């Protein structure tokens, strides 16, 4: 794919998933408003949208209309957003900035950031359970839920976070570092391709 076509594809995927996120995220004016504001702040706060782009790339590769996978792309990005909210917390990486702006816990407080991350995670599974435009019917949606749960759980992203915490303050070799990143980042990327 030429550079211009690739740039156009990335731009289209980013626009598509952000529109899907806007539709699925609760409006900020609905109670509990502060929680919904924190969720929207975290999920709509920019980013490259690599994981949902992989979902759309698979759709394109198999000749499927990309809008049929909006829910799957949205679910993967919601899990990613939740992971960033929790990763930035003082008990984890203790970051003050993400993408040049205050992290969720700095903007909304630690307790609300934890709740926002939790709510983003559960919303991802709700999207997969409810989006009847996803191909393959209920059985395929169950398989997507299973794939995303595995990628985000103890044998995936959360496990990678735990390995990262265990390695803090120690000298680790390249194999350990690769294992951490395979779980933290690679699990969601693999899920995006399998959705």
């Amino acid at each position: 794919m030429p550079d211009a076509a690739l740039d156009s594809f990335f731009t289209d995927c980013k626009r598509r998933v952000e529109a899907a996120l806007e539709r699925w995220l609760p409006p900020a004016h609905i109670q509990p408003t502060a929680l919904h504001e924190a969720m929207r702040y975290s999920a709509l706060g920019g980013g490259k949208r690599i994981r949902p782009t992989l979902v759309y790339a698979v759709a394109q590769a198999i000749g499927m209309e990309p809008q049929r996978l909006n829910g799957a792309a949205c679910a993967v990005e919601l899990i990613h957003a939740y992971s960033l909210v929790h990763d930035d917390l003082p008990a984890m990486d203790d970051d003050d900035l993400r993408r040049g702006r205050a992290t969720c816990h700095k903007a909304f407080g630690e307790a609300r950031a934890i709740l926002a991350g939790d709510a983003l995670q559960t919303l991802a599974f709700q999207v997969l359970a409810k989006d009847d435009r996803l191909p393959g019917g209920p059985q395929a949606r169950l398989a997507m839920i299973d794939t995303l749960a595995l990628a985000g759980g103890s044998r995936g992203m959360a496990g990678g976070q735990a390995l990262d915490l265990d390695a803090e303050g120690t000298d680790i070799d390249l194999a350990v570092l690769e294992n951490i990143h395979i779980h933290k980042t690679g699990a969601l990327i693999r899920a995006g391709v399998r959705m």
Side-chain angles (χ1 to χ4, degrees):
M1 194 179 283
D3 287 347
L6 190 58
D7 288 344
S8 176
F9 179 73
F10 272 98
T11 299
D12 183 56
C13 291
K14 187 173 180 177
R15 178 196 53 76
R16 184 182 306 282
V17 76
E18 287 175 358
L21 288 166
E22 182 66 46
R23 281 192 307 278
W24 281 102
L25 284 160
H29 68 276
I30 302 290
Q31 289 291 333
T33 56
L35 175 60
H36 293 158
E37 288 171 13
M39 291 170 67
R40 297 177 69 79
Y41 179 88
S42 300
L44 298 172
K48 298 178 200 94
R49 309 294 191 202
I50 297 294
R51 289 148 193 86
T53 298
L54 291 172
V55 173
Y56 293 127
V58 168
Q60 181 175 331
I62 63 172
M64 183 182 295
E65 296 174 16
Q67 63 268 23
R68 301 250 349 248
L69 288 177
N70 283 344
C74 187
V76 170
E77 190 63 12
L78 288 166
I79 293 290
H80 179 59
Y82 126 75
S83 76
L84 297 178
V85 170
H86 283 195
D87 193 45
D88 290 337
L89 289 166
M92 301 287 274
D93 287 348
D94 196 16
D95 289 321
D96 293 344
L97 295 174
R98 167 119 0 231
R99 301 179 187 123
R101 57 185 210 149
T103 55
C104 186
H105 74 275
K106 286 296 181 182
F108 295 92
E110 287 181 44
R112 195 155 288 117
I114 292 168
L115 293 173
D118 292 347
L120 289 168
Q121 180 187 43
T122 58
L123 180 58
F125 295 105
Q126 181 184 14
V127 169
L128 292 177
K130 295 273 189 185
D131 187 357
D132 59 7
R133 294 192 69 196
L134 290 168
Q139 285 303 114
R141 291 200 312 263
L142 283 174
M144 289 179 189
I145 290 168
D146 182 61
T147 296
L148 196 58
L150 184 62
S154 65
R155 293 182 287 163
M157 187 185 61
Q161 290 284 28
L163 293 170
D164 194 11
L165 288 172
D166 292 345
E168 275 186 21
T170 66
D171 289 329
I172 59 172
D173 60 24
L174 183 58
V176 172
L177 182 63
E178 286 176 346
N179 192 36
I180 290 169
H181 288 287
I182 284 168
H183 284 82
K184 282 178 69 170
T185 304
L188 272 187
I189 290 174
R190 284 191 305 276
V193 172
R194 291 182 182 145
M195 298 296 266

